[in-house]
Coordinates of all heavy atoms in Angstrom, one line a residue:
M163 N -18.4 -3.4 8.5 CA -17.0 -3.0 8.9 C -16.1 -3.5 7.8 O -16.2 -4.6 7.4 CB -16.7 -3.7 10.2 CG -15.3 -3.4 10.7 SD -15.1 -4.1 12.4 CE -13.6 -3.4 12.8
P164 N -15.2 -2.6 7.3 CA -14.3 -2.9 6.2 C -13.2 -4.0 6.6 O -12.8 -3.9 7.7 CB -13.7 -1.6 5.7 CG -13.9 -0.8 6.8 CD -15.1 -1.2 7.7
T165 N -12.8 -4.8 5.7 CA -11.8 -5.7 6.0 C -10.5 -5.2 5.3 O -10.7 -4.4 4.4 CB -12.1 -7.2 5.6 OG1 -12.3 -7.2 4.2 CG2 -13.3 -7.7 6.3
C166 N -9.3 -5.7 5.6 CA -8.2 -5.2 5.0 C -7.4 -6.3 4.2 O -7.6 -7.5 4.7 CB -7.3 -4.6 6.0 SG -7.9 -3.3 6.9
S167 N -6.7 -6.0 3.3 CA -5.9 -7.0 2.4 C -4.6 -6.4 2.0 O -4.5 -5.2 1.7 CB -6.8 -7.4 1.3 OG -6.1 -8.3 0.4
I168 N -3.6 -7.3 2.0 CA -2.3 -6.8 1.6 C -2.1 -7.5 0.2 O -2.0 -8.7 0.1 CB -1.2 -7.2 2.5 CG1 -1.4 -6.5 3.9 CG2 0.2 -6.9 2.0 CD1 -0.4 -6.8 4.9
Q169 N -2.0 -6.6 -0.8 CA -1.7 -7.0 -2.2 C -0.2 -7.1 -2.3 O 0.5 -6.4 -1.5 CB -2.2 -6.1 -3.2 CG -3.7 -5.7 -3.0 CD -4.6 -6.8 -3.4 OE1 -4.3 -7.6 -4.3 NE2 -5.7 -7.0 -2.7
N170 N 0.3 -7.9 -3.3 CA 1.8 -7.9 -3.5 C 2.1 -8.1 -5.0 O 1.2 -8.7 -5.7 CB 2.5 -8.8 -2.6 CG 2.3 -10.3 -2.9 OD1 2.8 -10.8 -4.0 ND2 1.4 -11.0 -2.3
S171 N 3.3 -7.7 -5.4 CA 3.7 -7.9 -6.7 C 5.0 -8.7 -6.8 O 5.8 -8.6 -7.6 CB 4.0 -6.5 -7.3 OG 5.0 -5.9 -6.5
M172 N 5.1 -9.7 -5.9 CA 6.3 -10.6 -5.8 C 6.5 -11.4 -7.0 O 7.6 -11.6 -7.6 CB 6.2 -11.5 -4.5 CG 6.5 -10.7 -3.3 SD 6.3 -11.7 -1.8 CE 7.1 -13.3 -2.3
R173 N 5.4 -11.9 -7.6 CA 5.5 -12.8 -8.8 C 6.1 -12.0 -9.9 O 7.0 -12.5 -10.6 CB 4.1 -13.4 -9.1 CG 4.2 -14.4 -10.2 CD 2.9 -15.1 -10.4 NE 2.7 -16.0 -9.2 CZ 1.6 -16.4 -8.7 NH1 0.5 -16.1 -9.2 NH2 1.5 -17.3 -7.7
K174 N 5.6 -10.8 -10.1 CA 6.1 -9.9 -11.2 C 7.6 -9.6 -11.0 O 8.4 -9.7 -11.9 CB 5.3 -8.7 -11.3 CG 5.7 -7.7 -12.4 CD 4.9 -6.5 -12.4 CE 5.5 -5.5 -11.3 NZ 5.0 -4.2 -11.4
L175 N 7.9 -9.3 -9.7 CA 9.3 -8.9 -9.4 C 10.3 -10.1 -9.6 O 11.3 -10.0 -10.1 CB 9.4 -8.4 -8.0 CG 8.9 -7.0 -7.9 CD1 8.7 -6.7 -6.3 CD2 9.7 -6.0 -8.5
R176 N 9.8 -11.3 -9.2 CA 10.6 -12.6 -9.5 C 10.9 -12.7 -10.9 O 11.9 -13.0 -11.4 CB 9.9 -13.8 -8.9 CG 10.0 -14.0 -7.4 CD 9.6 -15.3 -6.9 NE 8.2 -15.7 -7.4 CZ 7.9 -16.6 -8.3 NH1 8.9 -17.2 -9.0 NH2 6.7 -16.9 -8.6
F177 N 9.8 -12.5 -11.7 CA 9.9 -12.7 -13.2 C 10.9 -11.7 -13.7 O 11.8 -12.1 -14.6 CB 8.6 -12.6 -13.9 CG 8.6 -12.7 -15.4 CD1 8.7 -14.0 -15.9 CD2 8.7 -11.6 -16.2 CE1 8.8 -14.2 -17.3 CE2 8.8 -11.8 -17.6 CZ 8.8 -13.0 -18.2
N178 N 10.8 -10.5 -13.3 CA 11.7 -9.4 -13.8 C 13.1 -9.6 -13.3 O 14.0 -8.9 -13.8 CB 11.2 -8.1 -13.4 CG 9.9 -7.7 -14.1 OD1 9.6 -8.3 -15.2 ND2 9.2 -6.8 -13.6
Q179 N 13.4 -10.4 -12.3 CA 14.6 -10.7 -11.7 C 15.2 -12.0 -12.4 O 15.7 -12.8 -11.7 CB 14.6 -10.8 -10.2 CG 15.8 -10.8 -9.5 CD 16.3 -9.4 -9.1 OE1 15.6 -8.5 -9.3 NE2 17.6 -9.3 -8.7
G180 N 15.2 -12.0 -13.6 CA 15.7 -13.2 -14.3 C 15.0 -14.5 -14.1 O 15.5 -15.5 -14.1
E181 N 13.6 -14.3 -14.0 CA 12.7 -15.4 -13.7 C 13.1 -16.3 -12.5 O 13.2 -17.4 -12.5 CB 12.6 -16.3 -15.0 CG 12.0 -15.4 -16.1 CD 11.7 -16.3 -17.4 OE1 11.4 -17.5 -17.2 OE2 11.7 -15.7 -18.4
M182 N 13.5 -15.5 -11.5 CA 13.8 -16.1 -10.2 C 12.6 -17.1 -9.7 O 11.5 -16.8 -9.8 CB 14.0 -15.1 -9.1 CG 14.3 -15.6 -7.6 SD 14.3 -14.3 -6.5 CE 15.9 -13.6 -6.8
T183 N 13.0 -18.3 -9.3 CA 12.0 -19.3 -8.8 C 11.6 -18.9 -7.4 O 12.3 -18.3 -6.6 CB 12.5 -20.7 -8.9 OG1 13.5 -20.8 -8.0 CG2 13.0 -21.1 -10.3
Q184 N 10.5 -19.4 -7.0 CA 10.0 -19.4 -5.6 C 11.0 -20.0 -4.6 O 11.3 -19.4 -3.6 CB 8.6 -20.1 -5.4 CG 7.5 -19.3 -6.1 CD 6.2 -20.1 -6.1 OE1 6.2 -21.4 -6.0 NE2 5.1 -19.4 -6.1
Q185 N 11.6 -21.1 -5.1 CA 12.6 -21.8 -4.2 C 13.8 -21.0 -4.1 O 14.4 -20.8 -3.0 CB 12.9 -23.1 -4.8 CG 13.9 -23.9 -4.0 CD 13.4 -24.2 -2.6 OE1 12.3 -24.7 -2.6 NE2 14.2 -24.1 -1.6
E186 N 14.3 -20.3 -5.2 CA 15.5 -19.4 -5.1 C 15.3 -18.2 -4.1 O 16.1 -17.9 -3.3 CB 15.9 -18.9 -6.5 CG 16.4 -19.9 -7.4 CD 16.6 -19.4 -8.8 OE1 15.7 -18.6 -9.3 OE2 17.5 -19.9 -9.5
L187 N 14.1 -17.6 -4.2 CA 13.7 -16.5 -3.3 C 13.6 -17.0 -1.9 O 14.2 -16.4 -1.0 CB 12.5 -15.8 -3.8 CG 11.9 -14.7 -2.9 CD1 12.9 -13.6 -2.7 CD2 10.6 -14.2 -3.3
A188 N 13.0 -18.2 -1.7 CA 12.9 -18.7 -0.3 C 14.2 -18.9 0.3 O 14.4 -18.6 1.5 CB 12.1 -20.0 -0.4
K189 N 15.2 -19.5 -0.5 CA 16.5 -19.8 0.0 C 17.2 -18.6 0.4 O 18.0 -18.5 1.4 CB 17.3 -20.7 -1.0 CG 18.6 -21.2 -0.5 CD 19.3 -22.0 -1.6 CE 20.7 -22.4 -1.1 NZ 21.3 -23.2 -2.0
T190 N 17.1 -17.6 -0.4 CA 17.8 -16.3 -0.3 C 17.4 -15.6 1.1 O 18.2 -15.0 1.8 CB 17.6 -15.3 -1.5 OG1 18.1 -16.0 -2.6 CG2 18.3 -14.0 -1.3
I191 N 16.1 -15.6 1.3 CA 15.7 -15.0 2.6 C 15.5 -15.8 3.7 O 15.0 -15.4 4.9 CB 14.3 -14.2 2.2 CG1 13.2 -15.1 1.8 CG2 14.6 -13.0 1.2 CD1 11.8 -14.4 1.6
G192 N 15.7 -17.2 3.6 CA 15.7 -18.1 4.7 C 14.3 -18.6 5.1 O 14.1 -18.8 6.3
V193 N 13.4 -18.8 4.2 CA 12.1 -19.4 4.5 C 11.9 -20.5 3.5 O 12.6 -20.8 2.6 CB 11.0 -18.3 4.4 CG1 11.2 -17.2 5.3 CG2 10.9 -17.8 2.9
S194 N 10.8 -21.2 3.8 CA 10.4 -22.4 2.9 C 9.7 -21.8 1.6 O 9.2 -20.7 1.6 CB 9.4 -23.3 3.6 OG 8.2 -22.7 3.8
R195 N 9.7 -22.6 0.6 CA 9.0 -22.3 -0.7 C 7.5 -22.1 -0.4 O 6.8 -21.3 -1.0 CB 9.2 -23.4 -1.7 CG 8.5 -23.1 -3.0 CD 8.8 -24.2 -4.1 NE 8.0 -24.0 -5.2 CZ 6.9 -24.8 -5.5 NH1 6.7 -25.8 -4.7 NH2 6.2 -24.5 -6.5
Q196 N 7.0 -22.9 0.6 CA 5.6 -22.8 0.9 C 5.2 -21.4 1.5 O 4.1 -21.0 1.3 CB 5.2 -23.9 1.9 CG 5.1 -25.4 1.3 CD 6.5 -25.9 1.0 OE1 7.5 -25.6 1.7 NE2 6.6 -26.9 0.2
T197 N 6.2 -20.8 2.2 CA 5.9 -19.5 2.7 C 5.8 -18.5 1.6 O 4.9 -17.6 1.6 CB 7.1 -19.1 3.6 OG1 7.1 -20.0 4.8 CG2 6.9 -17.7 4.1
I198 N 6.7 -18.6 0.5 CA 6.6 -17.7 -0.6 C 5.3 -17.9 -1.4 O 4.6 -17.0 -1.8 CB 7.8 -18.0 -1.6 CG1 9.1 -17.7 -0.8 CG2 7.6 -17.1 -2.9 CD1 9.3 -16.4 -0.3
I199 N 4.8 -19.3 -1.5 CA 3.6 -19.5 -2.2 C 2.4 -18.9 -1.4 O 1.6 -18.2 -2.0 CB 3.4 -21.0 -2.2 CG1 4.3 -21.7 -3.3 CG2 1.9 -21.3 -2.7 CD1 4.4 -23.1 -3.2
A200 N 2.4 -19.0 -0.1 CA 1.4 -18.4 0.8 C 1.4 -16.8 0.7 O 0.2 -16.3 0.6 CB 1.6 -18.8 2.2
I201 N 2.5 -16.2 0.6 CA 2.5 -14.8 0.6 C 2.0 -14.3 -0.8 O 1.2 -13.4 -0.9 CB 4.0 -14.2 0.8 CG1 4.4 -14.5 2.3 CG2 4.1 -12.8 0.4 CD1 6.0 -14.2 2.4
E202 N 2.5 -15.0 -1.9 CA 2.1 -14.6 -3.2 C 0.6 -14.8 -3.4 O 0.0 -14.0 -4.2 CB 2.9 -15.4 -4.3 CG 4.3 -14.9 -4.4 CD 5.0 -15.6 -5.6 OE1 4.5 -16.5 -6.2 OE2 6.1 -15.2 -5.9
S203 N 0.0 -15.8 -2.8 CA -1.4 -16.0 -3.0 C -2.3 -15.3 -1.9 O -3.5 -15.6 -1.9 CB -1.7 -17.6 -2.9 OG -1.4 -18.1 -1.6
R204 N -1.7 -14.5 -1.1 CA -2.3 -13.6 -0.1 C -2.9 -14.4 1.0 O -3.9 -14.0 1.6 CB -3.3 -12.7 -0.8 CG -2.6 -11.7 -1.8 CD -3.6 -10.9 -2.5 NE -4.8 -10.6 -1.8 CZ -5.9 -10.3 -2.4 NH1 -6.0 -10.1 -3.7 NH2 -7.0 -10.0 -1.7
K205 N -2.4 -15.6 1.3 CA -3.0 -16.5 2.4 C -2.1 -16.2 3.6 O -2.5 -16.7 4.7 CB -2.9 -17.9 2.0 CG -3.9 -18.3 0.9 CD -3.8 -19.7 0.5 CE -4.8 -19.8 -0.6 NZ -5.0 -21.2 -1.0
Y206 N -1.0 -15.4 3.5 CA -0.2 -15.2 4.7 C 0.5 -13.8 4.4 O 1.0 -13.5 3.3 CB 1.0 -16.2 4.8 CG 2.0 -16.0 5.7 CD1 1.8 -16.1 7.1 CD2 3.3 -15.6 5.4 CE1 2.8 -15.8 8.1 CE2 4.3 -15.3 6.3 CZ 4.0 -15.5 7.7 OH 5.0 -15.2 8.5
S207 N 0.4 -13.0 5.5 CA 1.1 -11.7 5.5 C 2.4 -11.8 6.2 O 2.5 -12.2 7.3 CB 0.3 -10.6 6.2 OG -1.0 -10.4 5.5
P208 N 3.5 -11.3 5.4 CA 4.8 -11.5 6.0 C 5.0 -10.6 7.2 O 4.4 -9.6 7.3 CB 5.8 -11.2 4.9 CG 5.0 -10.2 4.0 CD 3.6 -10.7 4.1
T209 N 6.0 -11.0 8.1 CA 6.4 -10.0 9.1 C 7.0 -8.9 8.6 O 7.5 -8.9 7.4 CB 7.3 -10.8 10.1 OG1 8.5 -11.1 9.4 CG2 6.7 -12.0 10.7
L210 N 7.2 -7.8 9.3 CA 7.9 -6.7 8.8 C 9.3 -7.0 8.5 O 9.9 -6.6 7.4 CB 7.8 -5.6 9.9 CG 8.3 -4.2 9.4 CD1 7.6 -3.7 8.2 CD2 8.1 -3.2 10.6
E211 N 10.0 -7.8 9.3 CA 11.4 -8.2 9.0 C 11.4 -9.0 7.7 O 12.3 -8.7 6.9 CB 11.8 -9.1 10.2 CG 13.3 -9.6 10.0 CD 13.8 -10.4 11.1 OE1 13.1 -10.7 12.0 OE2 15.0 -10.8 11.0
L212 N 10.5 -9.9 7.5 CA 10.5 -10.7 6.3 C 10.2 -9.8 5.0 O 10.9 -9.9 3.9 CB 9.5 -11.9 6.3 CG 9.5 -12.8 5.2 CD1 10.9 -13.4 4.9 CD2 8.5 -13.9 5.4
A213 N 9.3 -8.8 5.2 CA 9.0 -7.9 4.1 C 10.2 -7.1 3.7 O 10.6 -6.9 2.6 CB 7.9 -7.0 4.5
F214 N 11.1 -6.7 4.7 CA 12.2 -5.9 4.4 C 13.3 -6.8 3.7 O 14.0 -6.3 2.8 CB 12.9 -5.3 5.7 CG 12.3 -4.0 6.1 CD1 11.5 -3.8 7.2 CD2 12.6 -2.8 5.3 CE1 10.9 -2.6 7.5 CE2 12.0 -1.6 5.6 CZ 11.2 -1.5 6.7
K215 N 13.3 -8.1 4.1 CA 14.4 -9.0 3.4 C 13.9 -9.2 2.0 O 14.8 -9.1 1.0 CB 14.3 -10.3 4.1 CG 15.0 -10.4 5.5 CD 15.0 -11.8 6.0 CE 15.7 -11.9 7.3 NZ 15.7 -13.2 7.9
I216 N 12.6 -9.3 1.8 CA 12.2 -9.4 0.3 C 12.5 -8.2 -0.4 O 12.9 -8.3 -1.6 CB 10.7 -9.7 0.3 CG1 10.4 -11.1 0.9 CG2 10.1 -9.7 -1.2 CD1 8.9 -11.4 1.3
A217 N 12.2 -7.0 0.1 CA 12.5 -5.8 -0.6 C 14.0 -5.7 -0.8 O 14.4 -5.1 -1.9 CB 12.0 -4.6 0.3
G218 N 14.8 -6.1 0.1 CA 16.3 -6.1 -0.1 C 16.7 -7.0 -1.3 O 17.6 -6.6 -2.1
V219 N 16.1 -8.1 -1.5 CA 16.4 -9.0 -2.6 C 16.2 -8.3 -3.9 O 17.0 -8.3 -4.8 CB 15.7 -10.3 -2.5 CG1 15.8 -11.1 -3.8 CG2 16.1 -11.2 -1.3
F220 N 15.1 -7.6 -4.0 CA 14.6 -7.0 -5.2 C 15.2 -5.5 -5.3 O 15.0 -4.8 -6.3 CB 13.1 -7.0 -5.4 CG 12.6 -8.4 -5.5 CD1 11.7 -8.9 -4.6 CD2 13.0 -9.2 -6.5 CE1 11.2 -10.2 -4.7 CE2 12.5 -10.5 -6.7 CZ 11.6 -10.9 -5.7
Q221 N 15.8 -5.0 -4.2 CA 16.3 -3.6 -4.1 C 15.3 -2.6 -4.5 O 15.6 -1.7 -5.4 CB 17.6 -3.6 -5.0 CG 18.7 -4.5 -4.5 CD 20.0 -4.4 -5.3 OE1 19.9 -4.0 -6.4 NE2 21.1 -4.7 -4.7
V222 N 14.1 -2.7 -3.9 CA 13.0 -1.8 -4.1 C 12.4 -1.4 -2.8 O 12.5 -2.2 -1.8 CB 11.9 -2.3 -5.1 CG1 12.5 -2.7 -6.5 CG2 11.3 -3.6 -4.5
P223 N 11.7 -0.3 -2.7 CA 11.1 0.1 -1.4 C 9.9 -0.9 -1.1 O 9.3 -1.5 -2.1 CB 10.5 1.5 -1.6 CG 10.9 1.8 -3.1 CD 11.6 0.7 -3.8
L224 N 9.6 -1.1 0.1 CA 8.5 -2.0 0.5 C 7.2 -1.7 -0.3 O 6.5 -2.6 -0.7 CB 8.1 -1.8 2.0 CG 9.1 -2.5 3.0 CD1 8.7 -2.2 4.4 CD2 9.2 -4.0 2.8
E225 N 6.8 -0.4 -0.4 CA 5.6 -0.1 -1.1 C 5.5 -0.5 -2.6 O 4.5 -0.5 -3.1 CB 5.2 1.3 -0.9 CG 6.2 2.3 -1.4 CD 7.3 2.7 -0.3 OE1 7.3 2.1 0.7 OE2 8.0 3.6 -0.7
E226 N 6.7 -0.8 -3.1 CA 6.6 -1.3 -4.5 C 6.3 -2.7 -4.5 O 5.9 -3.3 -5.6 CB 8.1 -1.1 -5.2 CG 8.0 -1.3 -6.6 CD 9.3 -0.8 -7.4 OE1 9.8 0.3 -7.0 OE2 9.7 -1.5 -8.2
I227 N 6.5 -3.5 -3.5 CA 6.1 -4.9 -3.3 C 4.7 -5.1 -2.7 O 3.9 -5.8 -3.2 CB 7.1 -5.7 -2.6 CG1 8.5 -5.5 -3.2 CG2 6.8 -7.1 -2.5 CD1 9.7 -6.1 -2.3
F228 N 4.5 -4.4 -1.6 CA 3.3 -4.7 -0.8 C 2.4 -3.4 -0.8 O 2.9 -2.3 -0.6 CB 3.6 -5.1 0.6 CG 4.5 -6.3 0.7 CD1 5.9 -6.3 0.9 CD2 3.9 -7.5 0.6 CE1 6.5 -7.3 0.9 CE2 4.6 -8.7 0.7 CZ 6.0 -8.6 0.9
Q229 N 1.1 -3.6 -1.0 CA 0.2 -2.5 -1.0 C -1.0 -2.9 -0.1 O -1.5 -4.0 -0.2 CB -0.4 -2.2 -2.5 CG 0.6 -1.9 -3.5 CD 1.3 -3.1 -4.1 OE1 0.7 -4.1 -4.3 NE2 2.6 -3.0 -4.3
Y230 N -1.3 -2.0 0.8 CA -2.4 -2.3 1.8 C -3.7 -1.7 1.2 O -3.8 -0.4 1.0 CB -1.9 -1.5 3.1 CG -3.0 -1.7 4.2 CD1 -3.1 -2.9 4.9 CD2 -3.7 -0.6 4.6 CE1 -3.9 -3.1 5.9 CE2 -4.7 -0.8 5.6 CZ -4.7 -2.0 6.3 OH -5.6 -2.1 7.3
E231 N -4.6 -2.5 1.0 CA -5.9 -2.0 0.4 C -7.0 -2.4 1.3 O -7.1 -3.5 1.9 CB -6.1 -2.7 -1.0 CG -5.0 -2.4 -2.0 CD -5.3 -2.9 -3.3 OE1 -6.4 -3.5 -3.5 OE2 -4.4 -2.7 -4.1
H232 N -8.0 -1.5 1.4 CA -9.3 -1.8 2.2 C -10.3 -2.3 1.2 O -10.5 -1.9 0.1 CB -9.8 -0.4 2.7 CG -8.9 0.2 3.7 ND1 -8.9 -0.2 5.1 CD2 -8.0 1.2 3.6 CE1 -8.0 0.6 5.7 NE2 -7.4 1.4 4.9
E233 N -10.9 -3.4 1.7 CA -12.1 -4.0 1.0 C -13.3 -3.7 1.7 O -13.4 -3.7 3.0 CB -11.8 -5.5 0.9 CG -10.6 -5.9 0.2 CD -10.4 -7.4 0.1 OE1 -11.1 -8.1 0.9 OE2 -9.5 -7.9 -0.5
K234 N -14.3 -3.4 1.0 CA -15.6 -3.1 1.6 C -16.3 -4.4 1.9 O -16.3 -5.3 1.1 CB -16.5 -2.3 0.7 CG -16.0 -0.9 0.5 CD -16.8 -0.1 -0.5 CE -16.2 1.3 -0.7 NZ -16.9 2.1 -1.6
S235 N -16.9 -4.5 3.1 CA -17.7 -5.7 3.5 C -19.1 -5.6 2.8 O -19.6 -4.5 2.6 CB -17.8 -5.8 5.0 OG -18.4 -4.7 5.5
Q236 N -19.7 -6.8 2.6 CA -20.9 -6.9 2.0 C -22.0 -6.6 3.0 O -22.0 -7.1 4.0 CB -21.1 -8.2 1.3 CG -20.1 -8.4 0.2 CD -20.5 -7.7 -1.1 OE1 -21.6 -7.4 -1.3 NE2 -19.4 -7.3 -1.8

């Protein structure tokens, strides 16, 4: 049975946004820096509301930040 994974490009977008820090992004969207770390390292999938907030900060569509990929199980 395949498993699913959500990839993201937050780190790249932060860099392109004047090298925004994880803390700056966290403060802007109202979460902890640890939440940003967990999302970027794919240990936590954001809620839909949080995903929209992140997209709003970078002014890009959701699919430019988050990609849903199927992984084949061994």
